[in-house]
Amino acid sequence: MDVDRLHLYLSPDKPLTLDERARYRDVIKKRCSGTPLQHLTGEISFFGLRFRVSSEALIPRQETEELLEKALNLVPRDREIACLDLGTGSGVLAVCLARFLPRARITAVDLSEEALGLARENAQLHDVSDRITFLKSDWFERVSEKFDLIVSNPPYIAEEELVALPVEVRAHEPRVALDGGKEGVERIESLTRSLKEHMLPNASVLLEIGNGQGRMVVERMDAVGLVEARMERDIAGKERFVIARCP
């Protein structure tokens, strides 16, 4: 109906027009066929903020809200810092870092120009465009700076597990944001190769991972020279995050 919720409360008995009924039926048919609800509404609530979403980027999930909360606890909020969001997608992490770290400069990287366009829209929506640099890059390919904090929700679904995903994920979300290759850690391994050279002394990195990948990713962090690498579980008790520090 293109109205806000308050309008519905103020006009509870207003009959729907034929066009509105037709649009409603169309939405229901799409939902029944597997189209994600977030794609039908065009938005999602993330960390208390509203974000635009589309099929060009992964729909943000609760686990990524947990990642953001952990990230905010790793850095000071009262000084200037540089943050990097690798694989920004819809931009929820980059925008929230800019919103909740008022002195931070954010670089948001993605390989998809369409995803970057969506992330720019969300940055404008929350009035933080002036503190976020958007960069089309395959991980660190075009990144030259060093950072105090690096966060990423990389693809971590094992290639052979993609066919078993729910249809609303498998058919409606970008495969490149899901497919982690063999055992689900190929893209993570690619990302970690250049981590240390882009981290300032005492900088932190925080990755979202798949359940059962904790040991492999921690070992990878150790192998590239990072310290204090550890796996942490999400609220459901699953292996979900790996955190490490640059010496």
Side-chain angles (χ1 to χ4, degrees):
M1 293 176 65
D2 294 323
V3 299
D4 58 29
R5 190 174 294 273
L6 179 61
H7 176 88
L8 302 181
Y9 295 140
L10 294 175
S11 307
D13 299 321
K14 179 184 176 183
L16 295 177
T17 66
L18 291 177
D19 181 58
E20 288 167 344
R21 290 180 186 223
R23 296 207 317 260
Y24 177 70
R25 292 191 181 100
D26 183 54
V27 166
I28 295 300
K29 287 178 182 177
K30 288 179 179 178
R31 184 69 187 104
C32 289
S33 71
T35 302
L37 176 63
Q38 297 88 343
H39 289 173
L40 295 173
T41 63
E43 64 179 29
I44 191 173
S45 175
F46 183 90
F47 220 72
L49 303 176
R50 296 173 81 102
F51 287 89
R52 293 171 183 160
V53 293
S54 75
S55 59
E56 305 296 345
L58 199 66
I59 297 170
R61 289 166 171 80
Q62 177 184 328
E63 294 83 2
T64 307
E65 289 186 294
E66 292 183 56
L67 181 144
L68 174 63
E69 188 170 10
K70 290 177 181 293
L72 291 173
N73 289 330
L74 288 173
V75 291
R77 304 193 186 196
D78 59 351
R79 68 178 178 88
E80 294 183 2
I81 59 171
C83 304
L84 174 65
D85 176 17
L86 283 174
T88 193
S90 59
V92 292
L93 288 176
V95 170
C96 285
L97 288 173
R99 279 290 301 266
F100 297 108
L101 299 174
R103 301 187 65 185
R105 293 181 297 103
I106 319 295
T107 299
V109 167
D110 206 285
L111 188 58
S112 166
E113 190 63 61
E114 291 78 15
L116 286 172
L118 179 62
R120 288 188 183 97
E121 285 185 39
N122 282 319
Q124 293 169 359
L125 184 64
H126 294 287
D127 199 27
V128 292
S129 297
D130 59 328
R131 289 193 293 114
I132 303 178
T133 299
F134 294 96
L135 181 64
K136 184 178 181 181
S137 177
D138 187 0
W139 293 149
F140 292 102
E141 183 180 41
R142 298 181 59 203
V143 178
S144 57
E145 293 180 65
K146 293 189 175 186
F147 300 89
D148 299 282
L149 174 68
I150 298 177
V151 297
S152 182
N153 177 17
Y156 56 73
I157 306 296
E159 190 175 42
E160 60 272 19
E161 295 176 3
L162 291 173
V163 294
L165 292 174
V167 65
E168 63 183 52
V169 177
R170 186 178 69 250
H172 295 276
E173 300 203 61
R175 183 185 175 104
V176 69
L178 299 167
D179 188 353
K182 186 179 179 182
E183 297 184 315
V185 294
E186 281 189 5
R187 292 295 286 160
I188 294 176
E189 288 179 349
S190 174
L191 181 161
T192 57
R193 291 188 195 113
S194 302
L195 262 180
K196 188 178 179 184
E197 64 189 79
H198 288 91
M199 297 174 70
L200 293 165
N202 208 37
S204 296
V205 58
L206 176 55
L207 303 182
E208 185 172 328
I209 63 168
N211 192 37
Q213 297 174 354
R215 180 183 58 80
M216 288 184 285
V217 180
V218 166
E219 289 177 354
R220 185 61 188 164
M221 295 290 195
D222 292 336
V224 299
L226 300 181
V227 298
E228 300 175 11
R230 65 187 187 276
M231 180 277 296
E232 294 190 1
R233 298 180 183 273
D234 62 21
I235 197 171
K238 296 181 179 180
E239 295 183 8
R240 188 62 64 195
F241 313 104
V242 168
I243 304 172
R245 184 175 64 83
C246 184

